[in-house]
Amino acid sequence: MLNGKTALVTGAGRGIGREIALTLAKEGAFVIVNYNGSKQRALNTVEEIEKAGGKAAAYGCDISDFTACGEMIASIIKEYGRIDILVNNAGITKDNLLMRMSEEEFDEVIRINLKGCFNTIRHASRYFLKQRSGRIINISSVSGVMGNAGQANYCASKAGVIGLTKSTARELGSRGITVNAIAPGFIETEMTENLPDALKEAMKEQTLLKRSGSALEVAKTAAFLASEGAAYITGQVISVDGGMAL
Ligand code: NAP
């Protein structure tokens, strides 16, 4: 159970982040539902958590903005006294073949997916270190493990998240802070809904389980990594991909 814990989930108004917020709240955590563009959907997530008897609050912040992330973490500490769980979920795609990929497409994906994780970790770690406890869970991707044609920017960002996870785990381990990554495979959300049907079928075929995954299946893994049961797990990349990367 996560009673008495405060969790920040980035990009939690929709998709996988929303499901992680709902799951952590069900386990008893107070959840800060971060959003950037989807304010109303973040408020809906908060409402759903409260209807189920949980506690949550929405906070708007572009995670690629270093200063704004500092203000968000400081305001969480001021309002709620502590932060125990940080889930870096927010992410985007800007797919293109390398030879057609613009500098902007490359930079924006790195800025949000990779630097966004650095920004929140950098600010939250100060409090984790003081508390001598904390759980950091970064959402990487199977694409960061295997690479994927048409996603050089995204794969580089998600491979970067794995490097960031392992380095941070090494630096913070002696203070009782665990840092892990989850590498989801093909999960049905808005991020994947516009992919061509043939590609979706091919991705399912690449898994051992012959199906796509759900946001809930990723959320349950995040909740486990945040739980007491995962206290001795750090620096790991947990695949939730139906065996795609095997
Ligand atoms: P999604 O439905 O497109 O949601 C993306 C989320 O990221 C939204 O909540 C969005 O918030 C947030 N976000 C984007 N830019 C942001 C920014 N600058 N600041 C704060 N939040 C920002 O995607 P998803 O499928 O749930 O993906 C969630 C994570 O899982 C991503 O990191 C993704 O790379 C990873 N992942 C997904 C899959 C998959 O198959 N779906 C597979 C592997 C990994 P707003 O709407 O409020 O802007």
Side-chain angles (χ1 to χ4, degrees):
M1 292 304 281
L2 301 174
N3 292 320
K5 308 275 185 201
T6 300
L8 166 62
V9 184
T10 67
R14 56 197 180 91
I16 293 171
R18 176 178 176 279
E19 213 56 53
I20 293 174
L22 294 171
T23 306
L24 294 181
K26 234 176 244 165
E27 294 292 319
F30 179 94
V31 182
I32 289 98
V33 175
N34 161 260
Y35 64 91
N36 185 30
S38 305
K39 181 175 183 183
Q40 191 49 52
R41 296 175 75 175
L43 293 173
N44 293 346
T45 305
V46 170
E47 200 183 313
E48 198 171 331
I49 288 173
E50 288 174 343
K51 263 194 201 147
K55 289 192 188 123
Y59 193 105
C61 168
D62 175 352
I63 52 125
S64 70
D65 182 333
F66 182 77
T67 308
C69 283
E71 286 163 5
M72 172 168 67
I73 305 283
S75 127
I76 291 169
I77 300 295
K78 192 166 166 234
E79 286 278 315
Y80 312 109
R82 55 189 295 120
I83 177 165
D84 302 283
I85 301 157
L86 167 63
V87 184
N88 280 311
N89 162 79
I92 61 161
T93 52
K94 293 257 173 219
D95 296 353
N96 219 335
L97 290 171
L98 183 76
M99 291 310 293
R100 292 199 196 125
M101 188 173 286
S102 67
E103 186 183 2
E104 290 71 32
E105 284 168 338
F106 190 85
D107 286 348
E108 197 183 348
V109 169
I110 298 289
R111 202 163 45 79
I112 294 175
N113 295 8
L114 177 55
K115 185 158 174 282
C117 292
F118 166 76
N119 290 344
T120 55
I121 291 172
R122 173 69 178 75
H123 291 294
S125 291
R126 219 177 112 203
Y127 300 99
F128 288 148
L129 286 167
K130 265 195 215 155
Q131 290 168 190
R132 298 188 81 83
S133 69
R135 298 288 170 92
I136 301 173
I137 300 155
N138 298 321
I139 307 300
S140 176
S141 169
V142 67
S143 303
V145 178
M146 298 174 75
N148 196 18
Q151 289 198 309
N153 50 0
Y154 183 77
C155 297
S157 73
K158 294 298 185 179
V161 167
I162 292 174
L164 180 67
T165 301
K166 291 183 179 179
S167 300
T168 312
R170 285 183 186 276
E171 288 192 28
L172 303 183
S174 64
R175 306 291 186 93
I177 301 156
T178 71
V179 191
N180 292 290
I182 297 175
F186 170 33
I187 311 295
E188 300 222 25
T189 66
E190 283 165 43
M191 184 174 272
T192 50
E193 76 183 354
N194 291 325
L195 294 173
D197 286 343
L199 182 60
K200 287 187 191 170
E201 284 313 308
M203 286 198 295
K204 287 181 198 170
E205 208 40 50
Q206 273 181 55
T207 69
L208 305 183
L209 300 177
K210 306 296 173 201
R211 66 171 177 87
S212 56
S214 70
L216 184 61
E217 286 168 324
V218 179
K220 295 232 178 203
T221 307
F224 169 65
L225 288 172
S227 76
E228 197 43 46
Y232 204 51
I233 299 175
T234 194
Q236 302 305 304
V237 182
I238 314 287
S239 294
V240 182
D241 66 356
M244 189 186 259
L246 191 70

